[in-house]
Amino acid sequence: MNPRIKKLLIILFVLVLIVGGFLGWWWWQNREQPLSSEPPVIIEQSDVNSTQDQQVQDTLSQQISGKSEEEIGDYASIVNTSRYFVERYGSFSDSAAWQNIDDIKSVVTNSIYSDLQSLRSSTKQVKESYALSTKTLAVNVENQTNNSAVVLVKTQKREVSGGNERIFYQDITLQLVKDNGVWLVADFNIGPEKK
């Protein structure tokens, strides 16, 4: 056999092996996996969570029944603004450089924002690490007019200071005003800690 043809056949044979290996590998990767014999894990909500969810839905239904679409829209804006303000303002970390104050600028009046900026500049650095996170448990619009609202927000807070951690509860009362069609926090009062 001609040495040139012999070389060509060897190269062709090697190419066929490479292509065949690649196709075999591709088939192996894309074949259907057999179904697992283990049943899927189903995570069910606890009765406590579903009871709380039902209470929230009942409260919401009571607060919006008989209201016009505009009043319901205002109510939703009030609740969303209140929740956002409380959770962002109430979540702080010494490593976040007061980011929580910057985050709430869009949902507070200019005077409240100026007061919070003053608070930021007057607060001294603490030597040990500190973090506070706030979770909204309930929002109740206690009084609502066309241009103002009073809201009670129930919260759970988790504080980590140094190596110590504690969980406590606080109620926060917010006063909101409607400014150019936007609901803003005009004042707030943080109540005493509860266990």
Side-chain angles (χ1 to χ4, degrees):
M1 187 188 281
N2 186 346
R4 216 176 206 196
I5 294 176
K6 194 174 184 181
K7 249 186 186 180
L8 198 57
L9 285 175
I10 291 174
I11 291 173
L12 186 60
F13 179 72
V14 170
L15 285 175
V16 167
L17 283 177
I18 291 172
V19 170
F22 175 74
L23 289 175
W25 173 83
W26 180 81
W27 174 82
W28 181 260
Q29 294 296 321
N30 293 316
R31 76 187 193 291
E32 285 190 30
Q33 299 292 327
L35 295 176
S36 172
S37 60
E38 296 178 24
V41 177
I42 298 172
I43 300 172
E44 295 182 18
Q45 273 190 323
S46 70
D47 290 338
V48 173
N49 284 343
S50 60
T51 302
Q52 287 175 346
D53 290 344
Q54 188 60 47
Q55 289 172 346
V56 168
Q57 289 176 359
D58 291 346
T59 302
L60 178 61
S61 297
Q62 290 170 0
Q63 290 192 9
I64 66 171
S65 69
K67 293 189 176 186
S68 69
E69 285 186 34
E70 182 180 350
E71 290 172 321
I72 292 172
D74 279 346
Y75 175 83
S77 294
I78 291 167
V79 169
N80 289 334
T81 299
S82 300
R83 174 176 277 136
Y84 180 78
F85 171 81
V86 166
E87 289 184 353
R88 288 306 305 134
Y89 177 70
S91 296
F92 171 82
S93 170
D94 58 353
S95 63
W98 294 92
Q99 183 63 40
N100 62 329
I101 302 295
D102 295 331
D103 289 347
I104 61 170
K105 182 178 182 178
S106 64
V107 297
V108 298
T109 61
N110 290 334
S111 63
I112 290 289
Y113 187 69
S114 295
D115 292 346
L116 294 174
Q117 289 287 59
S118 298
L119 173 69
R120 172 167 48 185
S121 61
S122 68
T123 303
K124 296 179 181 174
Q125 281 283 42
V126 184
K127 291 184 180 179
E128 62 183 24
S129 65
Y130 181 81
L132 178 69
S133 61
T134 300
K135 176 179 161 185
T136 300
L137 300 177
V139 179
N140 186 24
V141 179
E142 295 190 332
N143 186 8
Q144 177 184 349
T145 65
N146 289 339
N147 295 315
S148 67
V150 176
V151 180
L152 177 66
V153 182
K154 296 184 177 292
T155 66
Q156 178 187 50
K157 296 190 175 191
R158 178 177 171 260
E159 180 182 59
V160 179
S161 181
N164 301 320
E165 177 181 335
R166 71 184 184 110
I167 294 179
F168 60 96
Y169 300 87
Q170 277 185 309
D171 293 347
I172 301 168
T173 304
L174 305 175
Q175 292 179 2
L176 283 81
V177 294
K178 194 173 186 179
D179 184 18
N180 292 325
V182 178
W183 286 95
L184 301 172
V185 176
D187 198 9
F188 62 97
N189 181 21
I190 299 174
E193 294 180 11
K194 302 176 189 178
K195 291 192 177 200

